[in-house]
């Protein structure tokens, strides 16, 4: 190991460690060459790369040792009852983030992990231009905040922060995306959603920018809390036209919040966010930790180009929060390293290409078509045989029974009321999409085995489905899922295991 050791607090140049923690650290472990010291002296951008494969257990052990030294007598000391919860699940850290009602304040015990978790995330998201490696980053972003809430709740937090700055605002203009949590975030934050339908361009659904502008001027910009756009979504919807919306937001002085739920894993999504901020207004963009960084559900990253706004978002959050999502993220990012992440991002892109190619092959055999959606880098859609809606549900169930999760069969004629708004064609991002389809996505961590298995099972289901439809049309028996289906599905699963 030829890593440079840091020997004094004076070597800490780049703010990797909060000053309070650093004082504490240098006082309590003067003689120890702890692994944290190696980390703390490196330039922010390189640190993560250097830390690839450093035993994380060492780091956690070190934190535990710290914890033992502390004599805690406040109400927030975490005395943990059950041993496995204490040592197994939490590394002897009753880890949480925040103090005295403020999530941004560092507490001593797990301070470094929380703090570095945040920093590492910023490195991935918005690294310095000079660094050699290039994860899919947004440059010149000034701030990010990792919070232990999923994306929908983080969007709520952003909207509530906007409210404090625009007290008379009532509306959020929302470019339609058929995903419940982002739509619900608007009503949960106490705003009325103004739904702007998408425009059909070829097979693809895109942002209706003139309609957004019309709504802004009709409703009066002052009454509008924000415009909410989305990058990552199910095909056949494409990435929103972020640059054009950002330009409108700058023109009318209206905040712009971007739902980037699973967009970090794709450079196109990140690139458009960066461009949008360059030509117009972007107040915050929010992404999920589980969807982008291969950790369990529970966290998201709220990022933006104005550090003050992001700080305000942090201040809006009432109280402390669980540090577990951050700990997961911290451990994961350290073990991945930037190179590891870059590799995963590259592989994902290849998987997307492979997925589309194989679906195209399959589609040909069944006289179906993969929809042309070039502005969606993650998800893809393929038409399904045209039958009545209830039969389509059956195709969905077939796939589900065969352990294919994440694919959706969209009938395009479903009606659904969510938070008081009636959506026609729910699931298809449009009230009049012309034909039913199914979707599949290539997300980070996916392997070619996953793609092969999906194609194999999809083929089986399509085969069965087509035969069955044919049979049904020739007889009066309209059976639903048969026991045979179930047995076969179980067998399939066993073969895999
Ligand atoms: C996952 C996701 C969200 C957020 O859902 P949470 O469960 O709150 O994380 C929002 N929009 C889209 C498009 C998503 O995929």
């Amino acid at each position: 190991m030829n890593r440079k050791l840091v020997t004094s607090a004076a070597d800490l140049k780049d703010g990797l460690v909060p000053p309070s923690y650093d004082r504490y650290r240098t006082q309590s472990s003067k003689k120890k060459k702890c692994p944290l010291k190696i980390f703390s002296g490196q330039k922010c951008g390189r640190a993560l790369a250097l830390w690839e494969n450093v035993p994380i257990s060492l780091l956690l052990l070190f934190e535990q040792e710290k914890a033992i030294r502390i004599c805690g007598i406040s109400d927030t000391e975490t005395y943990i009852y059950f041993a496995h919860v204490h040592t197994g699940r939490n590394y002897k850290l009753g880890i949480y983030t925040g103090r005295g009602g403020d999530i941004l304040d560092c507490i001593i015990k797990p301070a470094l992990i929380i703090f570095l978790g945040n920093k590492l995330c910023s490195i991935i998201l918005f690294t310095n231009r000079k660094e050699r490696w290039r994860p899919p980053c947004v440059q010149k972003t000034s701030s990010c905040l990792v919070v232990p809430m999923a994306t929908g709740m983080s969007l709520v937090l952003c909207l509530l922060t906007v409210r404090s700055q625009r007290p008379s605002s009532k509306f959020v203009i929302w470019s339609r995306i058929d995903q419940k949590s982002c739509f619900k975030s608007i009503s949960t934050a106490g705003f009325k959603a103004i739904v702007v339908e998408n425009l059909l361009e070829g097979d693809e659904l895109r942002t209706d920018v003139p309609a957004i502008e019309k709504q802004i001027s009709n409703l009066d910009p002052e009454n509008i809390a924000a415009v909410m756009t989305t990058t990552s979504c199910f095909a056949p919807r494409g990435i929103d036209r972020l640059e054009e919306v950002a330009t409108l937001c700058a023109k009318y002085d209206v905040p712009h919040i971007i739902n980037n739920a699973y967009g970090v894993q794709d450079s196109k999504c990140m690139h458009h966010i960066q461009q949008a901020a360059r030509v117009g207004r972007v107040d915050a963009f929010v992404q999920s930790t589980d969807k982008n960084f291969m950790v369990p559900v529970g966290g998201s990253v709220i990022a933006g180009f104005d550090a003050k706004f992001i700080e305000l978002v942090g201040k809006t959050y009432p109280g402390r929060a669980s540090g577990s999502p951050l700990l997961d993220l911290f451990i994961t990012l350290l073990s991945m390293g930037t190179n590891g992440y870059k590799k995963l991002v590259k592989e994902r892109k290849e998987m997307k290409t492979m997925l589309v190619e194989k679906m195209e092959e399959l589609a040909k055999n069944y006289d179906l078509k993969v929809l042309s959606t070039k502005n969606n880098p993650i998800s893809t859609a393929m038409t399904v045989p045209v039958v009545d809606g209830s039969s389509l549900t059956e195709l969905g169930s077939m796939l589900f029974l065969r352990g294919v999760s994440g694919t959706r069969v969209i009938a395009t004629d479903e009606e659904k009321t969510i938070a008081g708004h009636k959506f026609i064609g729910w699931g298809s991002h449009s009230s009049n999409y012309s034909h039913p389809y199914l979707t599949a996505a290539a997300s980070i961590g996916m392997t070619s085995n996953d793609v092969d298995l999906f194609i194999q099972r999809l083929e089986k289901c399509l085969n069965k489905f087509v035969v069955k439809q044919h049979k049904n049309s020739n007889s009066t028996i309209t059976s639903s899922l048969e026991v045979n289906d179930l047995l076969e599905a179980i067998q399939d699963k066993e073969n895999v295991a």
Side-chain angles (χ1 to χ4, degrees), residues 149-155 177-183 230-234 259-262 286-291 297-300 429:
M149 302 184 293
T151 307
M153 281 305 285
S154 291
L155 288 168
I177 159 161
D178 290 1
Q179 199 278 345
K180 269 189 227 164
S181 40
C182 57
F183 183 66
T230 303
T231 56
S232 51
C233 56
F234 289 117
N259 170 13
N260 189 38
Y262 48 103
V286 181
Q287 35 270 311
S288 140
T289 52
D290 61 289
K291 290 178 184 175
V297 177
S300 59
H429 317 289

Side-chain angles (χ1 to χ4, degrees), residues 6-299:
V6 174
T7 48
S8 76
D11 285 350
L12 301 169
K13 299 188 196 80
D14 44 21
L16 258 181
V17 179
S20 59
Y21 189 89
D22 188 48
R23 265 198 309 280
Y24 168 76
R25 188 172 64 84
T26 44
Q27 277 166 19
S28 61
S29 64
K30 266 199 175 96
K31 292 175 207 85
K32 279 195 188 136
K33 281 201 163 132
C34 62
L36 286 179
K37 285 184 179 175
I38 308 171
F39 190 78
S40 49
Q42 302 296 344
K43 263 241 167 291
C44 216
R46 249 175 307 151
L48 191 53
L50 281 175
W51 265 68
E52 241 171 294
N53 304 323
V54 163
I56 287 149
S57 50
L58 267 185
L59 191 68
L60 293 167
L61 271 175
F62 173 69
E63 277 284 329
Q64 282 170 24
E65 220 171 290
K66 288 270 163 221
I68 293 162
R69 283 163 184 273
I70 293 174
C71 167
I73 49 161
S74 79
D75 59 327
T76 58
E77 285 312 313
T78 38
Y79 298 114
I80 295 166
Y81 179 78
F82 190 60
H84 182 66
V85 172
H86 188 37
T87 52
R89 284 195 27 85
N90 291 286
Y91 303 100
K92 290 191 186 168
L93 301 164
I95 190 169
Y96 62 91
T97 170
R99 182 180 63 171
D102 204 334
I103 198 169
L104 289 174
D105 263 8
C106 266
I107 52 160
I108 290 297
K109 268 190 261 179
L112 209 51
I113 284 178
I114 298 290
F115 191 83
L116 288 180
N118 254 312
K119 277 286 172 198
L120 293 178
C121 228
S122 347
I123 292 168
I124 291 265
L125 282 171
F126 353 98
T127 187
N128 190 326
R129 199 185 281 274
K130 290 184 198 113
E131 296 302 332
R132 266 185 299 124
W133 46 269
R134 292 200 177 220
C137 57
V138 172
Q139 286 150 5
K140 294 192 176 156
T141 313
S142 54
S143 194
C144 87
L145 173 69
V146 186
V147 287
M149 302 184 293
T151 307
M153 281 305 285
S154 291
L155 288 168
V156 171
L157 200 61
C158 291
L159 289 174
L160 290 174
T161 309
V162 167
R163 155 159 287 154
S164 69
Q165 296 178 315
R166 300 167 77 85
S168 66
S169 60
K170 298 181 203 59
F171 307 107
V172 171
I173 295 178
W174 181 70
S175 176
R176 177 168 171 182
I177 159 161
D178 290 1
Q179 199 278 345
K180 269 189 227 164
S181 40
C182 57
F183 183 66
K184 282 161 79 177
S185 72
I186 298 169
S187 52
T188 304
F191 293 108
K192 181 168 168 36
I194 306 295
V195 180
V196 174
E197 292 281 341
N198 294 293
L199 288 174
L200 187 66
E201 293 175 13
D203 289 336
E204 201 169 32
L205 292 160
R206 304 288 332 258
T207 326
D208 189 345
V209 179
I212 291 179
E213 177 158 27
K214 208 161 147 198
Q215 290 287 7
I216 296 177
S217 56
N218 281 356
L219 293 167
D220 189 350
E222 264 181 40
N223 292 324
I224 295 162
V227 178
M228 196 191 280
T229 54
T230 303
T231 56
S232 51
C233 56
F234 289 117
R237 187 190 190 277
I239 301 182
D240 267 319
R241 295 184 191 280
L242 300 186
E243 291 88 335
E244 290 167 55
V245 175
T247 308
L248 282 185
C249 289
K251 178 175 164 193
Y252 291 98
D253 196 22
V254 172
H256 180 198
I257 293 177
I258 301 175
N259 170 13
N260 189 38
Y262 48 103
V264 182
Q265 62 188 296
D266 184 79
S267 54
K268 195 165 185 167
C269 295
M270 300 305 267
H271 172 74
H272 282 295
I273 293 174
Q274 175 161 327
Q275 286 304 98
R278 209 169 56 80
V279 301
R281 178 166 178 173
V282 174
D283 293 67
F285 57 104
V286 181
Q287 35 270 311
S288 140
T289 52
D290 61 289
K291 290 178 184 175
N292 293 292
F293 301 118
M294 301 176 75
V295 292
V297 177

Side-chain angles (χ1 to χ4, degrees), residues 437-479:
Y437 57 84
L438 61 82
T439 63
S443 54
I444 192 162
M446 189 183 247
T447 63
S448 56
N449 280 348
D450 295 325
V451 176
D452 286 339
L453 199 59
F454 166 67
I455 296 291
Q456 215 177 307
R457 291 184 182 181
L458 178 59
E459 179 157 28
K460 250 190 186 168
C461 290
L462 277 176
N463 214 358
K464 194 152 202 148
F465 185 68
V466 171
V467 170
K468 197 163 193 171
Q469 291 309 314
H470 187 69
K471 250 200 238 156
N472 282 356
S473 63
N474 291 336
S475 75
T476 48
I477 306 161
T478 48
S479 62

